[in-house]
């Protein structure tokens, strides 16, 4: 008769190995299918739950490089050999105790942990998540990622991001931006956090958007090519050009009949040294064109040539755009 304790130790060791394997990005669809098959066993599911509980309670050392290496080395040493004596075959069950002690001080790599991604002003980054989803971070963006068994959680603390979500019917993909929450299964959408809400644009698929935490929370379901701005009191989905709305992800800003003041504000998001606009009624003139993000000189040149504005570099490095004085 098999020893129940031996079976539990094997399950614990395999849970630890799976925990590390799922933390090494990217995770293939094959690996996820194998994991679900392994976890179908109640004993394995219990072992993984124990490991997750340990992780959640003690995760402060998860980013320590040396401890991560120690965990991986321990797990490699714990894998059973195909030949050898029974004493050697039992070695993994003994080593797993070491692995779980390491887990108790929080060194496992990723799955229930929280990852932080940031970009500086003018910087963009493409991140591939453990589930195969892809996130493009725009300028001056900060977001946190946390995957748990029931859902995939993203917190957009500031900035903007384009999400290409891998389908997983068992774990919804939720992006929170303040009181706005966007829920998707497999789709492509853009979220921009504003001071008093968020701007959500759907490119492909379908998403549900909610705003507010009380019983009076508002909700919308977007279709491709629709956008909702939750800061607006009477917000409703509006038709937009999704290509234009997400052009920033290709380092382009597309302006079509955009007031100059709005165009300057958009260009400034990518500039450490801003453009200062003081042009009176000229600030409402329509801008049409395509500009590379971060290319201040090209935008200033266009504004001076097309709209007759003058440009002057300030002491702090900013550029002042004004209407030339009469006789100046």
């Amino acid at each position: 008769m098999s020893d129940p304790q031996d079976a539990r130790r094997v399950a614990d060791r395999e849970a630890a190995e799976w925990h590390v394997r799922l933390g090494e990005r990217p995770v293939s669809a094959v690996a996820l299918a194998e994991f679900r098959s392994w976890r179908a066993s109640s004993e394995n599911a219990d072992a993984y739950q124990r490991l997750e509980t340990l992780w959640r309670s003690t995760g402060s050392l998860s980013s320590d490089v040396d401890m991560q290496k120690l965990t991986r080395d321990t797990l490699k040493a714990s894998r059973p050999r195909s030949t050898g004596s029974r004493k050697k075959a039992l070695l993994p069950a003994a080593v797993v105790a070491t692995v779980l002690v390491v887990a108790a001080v929080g060194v496992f790599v990723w799955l229930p942990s929280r990852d932080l991604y940031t970009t500086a002003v003018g910087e963009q980054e493409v991140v591939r998540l453990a589930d195969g989803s892809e996130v493009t971070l725009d300028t001056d963006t900060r977001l946190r990622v946390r995957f748990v068994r029931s859902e995939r959680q993203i917190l957009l603390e500031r900035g903007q991001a384009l999400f290409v979500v891998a389908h997983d019917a068992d774990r919804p993909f939720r992006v929170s931006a303040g009181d706005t929450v966007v829920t998707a299964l497999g789709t492509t959408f853009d979220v921009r956090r504003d001071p008093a809400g968020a701007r959500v644009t759907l490119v492909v698929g379908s998403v549900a958007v909610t705003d507010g935490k009380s019983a009076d929370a508002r909700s919308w379901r977007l279709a491709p090519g629709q956008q909702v701005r939750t800061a607006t009191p009477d917000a409703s989905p509006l038709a937009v050009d999704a290509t234009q709305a997400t052009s920033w992800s290709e380092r382009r800003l597309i302006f079509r009949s955009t007031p100059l003041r709005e165009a300057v504000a958009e260009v400034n998001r990518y500039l450490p040294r801003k453009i200062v606009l003081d042009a009176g009624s000229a600030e409402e003139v329509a801008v049409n064109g395509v500009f590379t993000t971060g290319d201040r000189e090209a935008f200033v040149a266009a504004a001076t040539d097309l709209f007759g504005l003058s440009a002057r570099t300030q002491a702090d490095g900013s550029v002042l755009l004004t209407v030339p004085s009469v006789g100046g």
Side-chain angles (χ1 to χ4, degrees):
M1 179 180 295
S2 60
D3 183 351
Q5 291 303 314
D6 279 349
R8 174 167 174 157
R9 283 192 287 268
V10 170
D12 285 341
R13 186 202 69 232
E14 290 175 351
E17 291 176 335
W18 269 115
H19 205 290
V20 173
R21 183 178 176 186
L22 292 174
E24 296 174 343
R25 290 169 276 179
V27 179
S28 68
V30 172
L32 289 174
E34 291 175 352
F35 173 68
R36 290 194 189 99
S37 177
W38 173 84
R39 201 176 59 183
S41 158
S42 60
E43 190 161 59
N44 290 343
D46 290 343
Y48 203 81
Q49 182 61 48
R50 288 194 296 273
L51 188 57
E52 285 190 315
T53 300
L54 279 171
W55 173 266
R56 283 193 294 269
S57 62
T58 55
S60 60
L61 297 181
S62 61
S63 60
D64 188 292
V65 175
D66 292 334
M67 293 300 283
Q68 289 178 5
K69 183 177 184 300
L70 173 61
T71 304
R72 285 194 173 92
D73 291 345
T74 304
L75 289 172
K76 288 178 181 178
S78 73
R79 293 190 177 109
R81 302 176 185 273
S82 56
T83 60
S85 66
R86 175 166 175 77
K87 182 177 180 181
K88 287 184 178 180
L90 290 177
L91 179 60
V95 174
V96 76
T98 303
V99 175
L100 293 180
V101 168
V102 173
V105 292
V107 302
F108 283 105
V109 182
W110 197 76
L111 185 61
S113 69
R114 187 182 293 268
D115 277 355
L116 172 65
Y117 300 96
T118 62
T119 54
V121 173
E123 186 179 56
Q124 293 182 341
E125 182 181 357
V126 178
V127 175
R128 190 166 182 86
L129 304 182
D131 67 331
S133 298
E134 186 175 278
V135 183
T136 304
L137 282 69
D138 198 10
T139 176
D140 193 21
T141 294
R142 178 185 176 96
L143 65 79
R144 295 183 183 273
V145 178
R146 180 177 172 82
F147 284 5
V148 294
R149 183 174 298 181
S150 60
E151 64 180 7
R152 296 165 286 175
Q153 303 168 353
I154 311 292
L155 176 61
L156 182 62
E157 296 183 351
R158 70 167 183 263
Q160 183 168 11
L162 178 68
F163 301 90
V164 180
V165 180
H167 182 79
D168 186 344
D170 295 330
R171 288 198 301 173
F173 191 99
R174 291 194 171 92
V175 178
S176 299
D179 289 342
T180 300
V181 179
V182 185
T183 302
L185 291 176
T187 185
T188 301
F189 62 97
D190 179 288
V191 182
R192 177 166 167 175
R193 183 155 184 179
D194 292 329
R199 184 182 312 178
V200 182
T201 306
L202 180 63
V203 181
V204 176
S206 177
V207 296
V209 182
T210 60
D211 184 67
K213 297 181 179 179
S214 67
D216 298 327
R218 301 172 297 168
S219 63
W220 308 268
R221 183 170 291 276
L222 301 186
Q226 287 188 325
Q227 180 184 90
V228 64
R229 300 190 181 195
T230 63
T232 307
D234 56 349
S236 61
L238 300 175
V240 297
D241 184 334
T243 299
Q244 178 180 352
T246 60
S247 62
W248 63 265
S249 64
E250 298 177 351
R251 295 192 174 276
R252 297 181 302 144
L253 295 177
I254 301 175
F255 298 122
R256 294 174 181 161
S257 299
T258 305
L260 178 59
R261 58 179 173 76
E262 292 184 13
V264 168
E266 192 66 20
V267 170
N268 275 341
R269 295 180 62 232
Y270 301 86
L271 301 178
R273 294 183 173 86
K274 311 296 185 184
I275 298 171
V276 180
L277 184 63
D278 184 13
S281 60
E283 296 181 11
E284 300 302 320
V285 69
V287 176
N288 293 279
V290 180
F291 299 89
T292 301
T293 59
D295 191 345
R296 187 179 73 170
E297 288 70 22
F299 186 86
V300 169
T304 56
D305 291 345
L306 297 176
F307 309 130
L309 300 179
S310 65
R312 185 170 69 251
T313 301
Q314 307 284 81
D316 62 358
S318 64
V319 172
L320 176 64
L321 286 179
T322 61
V323 177
S325 60
V326 176

